[in-house]
Amino acid sequence: MFSDTAVEFPLSPCLPSLPQPAVYDTARSLYENLYSATPDAGIRARAGKFLDASLEAVRALPNDMPATPQACGAWMEAKSAHTAQRYAEYLAARQSGAPRQYFSSEAHALYFLNEIAPTKLVDGAWLAGLVTQWEDSRFHPLIRTYLEELGDGAPELNHVVLYRRLLDAHACGHRDGMADSRFVQGAIQLALGCNADKYLPEIIGFNLGYEQLPLHLPITAYELNELGIDPYYFTLHITIDNMATGHARRALDALQLTLPARHRAAFFERVRNGYMLNELGDGSESIIRDFDLEQEVIAIFKRKSVFGRHMHSDYCKLAGKSVNAWLADPGQIPAFLDQLQRGGWIRRNQDPAASRFWRLLAGERAEMFGVFTDYEIRVIHDWIAGEWKDPQLQVPSRALSYRARRRMEEADTGLPAPEDADNDFNEPLRRLCADLDEADSKRERMRMLLPYLGPASHHTPEGLLATRLFSQGLRGGAS
Ligand SMILES: [Fe+2]
């Protein structure tokens, strides 16, 4: 839910509620099974069923993709121009004083980063299964796109590493109680990646949709920066997905290169259906709209109550009831928060420092230091502060954007070169190097690298090394 301060600026039109096949009950478990290891035949079959149900669900929806491959170029250019036009309108509105469109507060932005994480942490996964085709140049545009998602093995450019760092920087990344619908997009992407041999047209269509620049990307980057949050993950995609030379252009090239000579119409119909898989599950804009500060505070307290109900002394009482008794039943949390306000422990719409409860969480000698994560503390802060605005942040020169702040700080990028170290922490890395030394042909070395390029491992030290070597090999160098 948007706060009252959000400007009335039209979001992209919402799709009607999609039919939710029963198979969606398994989106999270399928996601976790596909992400945790190289999927076995059983998991791949389960992923195939999930894809079939998803493809059936989108078949009835309106599809804006042209009816012929020849029309796709002009269609993508028109969409790109439309996005640019709408972003220009957004900027003009902001420059004439309109408030943020997406994020009502920093807590709202961090909520978004956390809830979209299941999708972002498998960035590129739908293309993972194509690396086996590295000797077939028709697939090089898609393989190149995948390797760029992986940063060609450079940690500071690997999209999953970047997103993990972003989550870590704000202590986000929890999944307790997260809705199953948050995992649908990631499950689709992982399922496509491990079934490339059976869903090639759908992968090409999905890629065509995913690699086009959506309006929410530049707006998200703009507003994250404004709130002092590193927007790099999002700005990176604005440049990389461009229609002139970027992933969107490659997506179109891949379609032209892989269209078969015979049964072309049937192949392309599957491409069109695969494109629609982008519409399933929770997207960025729906997640942004879902945010409700009060409900997020209640959810945080419910999570903490599992441990907190045993951690307070009996003399900690509120309205005649011990805090442990309040926390014993998660259903009581709204009443507990209400009592904290009635008892003067929390004073809403004021500087949080004026609340005794806040002083238990933050500041010197805070008795509950460490109980809440940085993200949770930010949510509680924004909930208590409500309409109150920090006067320090009302002075423009003191409200630094992320980019302004970074310019004032020393850059901190890159991991130490992992292959230089020799210890138990990188034993898998050394094992990979030893195996590669044994190989006597480029083809064998490339084959050895393949298992390390999957979504569950490409962001590890050995995965990054394997990506660098594979990338060199694809370009024709020694691998
Ligand atoms: Fe990406």
Side-chain angles (χ1 to χ4, degrees), residues 123 149 159 237:
D123 204 357
E149 296 287 337
H159 296 188
H237 284 85

PDB file of all heavy atoms in Angstrom, residues 123 149 159 237, ligand 1:
ATOM      1  N   ASP A 123      19.156 -14.297 -11.198  1.00  0.00           N
ATOM      2  CA  ASP A 123      19.252 -13.487 -12.413  1.00  0.00           C
ATOM      3  C   ASP A 123      19.974 -14.258 -13.529  1.00  0.00           C
ATOM      4  O   ASP A 123      21.083 -14.754 -13.336  1.00  0.00           O
ATOM      5  CB  ASP A 123      20.034 -12.211 -12.074  1.00  0.00           C
ATOM      6  CG  ASP A 123      19.711 -11.089 -13.026  1.00  0.00           C
ATOM      7  OD1 ASP A 123      18.936 -11.312 -13.971  1.00  0.00           O
ATOM      8  OD2 ASP A 123      20.249  -9.983 -12.815  1.00  0.00           O
ATOM      9  N   GLU A 149      25.420 -11.766 -17.465  1.00  0.00           N
ATOM     10  CA  GLU A 149      24.690 -11.786 -16.197  1.00  0.00           C
ATOM     11  C   GLU A 149      25.635 -12.241 -15.079  1.00  0.00           C
ATOM     12  O   GLU A 149      25.532 -11.796 -13.944  1.00  0.00           O
ATOM     13  CB  GLU A 149      23.493 -12.741 -16.256  1.00  0.00           C
ATOM     14  CG  GLU A 149      22.406 -12.372 -17.251  1.00  0.00           C
ATOM     15  CD  GLU A 149      21.576 -11.173 -16.809  1.00  0.00           C
ATOM     16  OE1 GLU A 149      21.533 -10.898 -15.607  1.00  0.00           O
ATOM     17  OE2 GLU A 149      20.993 -10.509 -17.677  1.00  0.00           O
ATOM     18  N   HIS A 159      25.843 -10.340 -11.446  1.00  0.00           N
ATOM     19  CA  HIS A 159      24.605  -9.726 -10.971  1.00  0.00           C
ATOM     20  C   HIS A 159      24.124 -10.336  -9.653  1.00  0.00           C
ATOM     21  O   HIS A 159      23.571  -9.634  -8.808  1.00  0.00           O
ATOM     22  CB  HIS A 159      23.522  -9.844 -12.040  1.00  0.00           C
ATOM     23  CG  HIS A 159      23.862  -9.088 -13.290  1.00  0.00           C
ATOM     24  ND1 HIS A 159      22.980  -8.909 -14.331  1.00  0.00           N
ATOM     25  CD2 HIS A 159      24.999  -8.440 -13.661  1.00  0.00           C
ATOM     26  CE1 HIS A 159      23.558  -8.201 -15.283  1.00  0.00           C
ATOM     27  NE2 HIS A 159      24.788  -7.925 -14.909  1.00  0.00           N
ATOM     28  N   HIS A 237      21.417  -2.565 -15.184  1.00  0.00           N
ATOM     29  CA  HIS A 237      20.476  -3.195 -16.111  1.00  0.00           C
ATOM     30  C   HIS A 237      19.877  -2.199 -17.099  1.00  0.00           C
ATOM     31  O   HIS A 237      19.423  -2.593 -18.173  1.00  0.00           O
ATOM     32  CB  HIS A 237      19.368  -3.917 -15.336  1.00  0.00           C
ATOM     33  CG  HIS A 237      19.844  -5.212 -14.751  1.00  0.00           C
ATOM     34  ND1 HIS A 237      20.492  -5.283 -13.541  1.00  0.00           N
ATOM     35  CD2 HIS A 237      19.812  -6.473 -15.234  1.00  0.00           C
ATOM     36  CE1 HIS A 237      20.817  -6.538 -13.297  1.00  0.00           C
ATOM     37  NE2 HIS A 237      20.424  -7.284 -14.313  1.00  0.00           N
TER      38      HIS A 237
HETATM   39 FE    FE B   1      20.847  -9.221 -14.658  1.00  0.00          FE
END
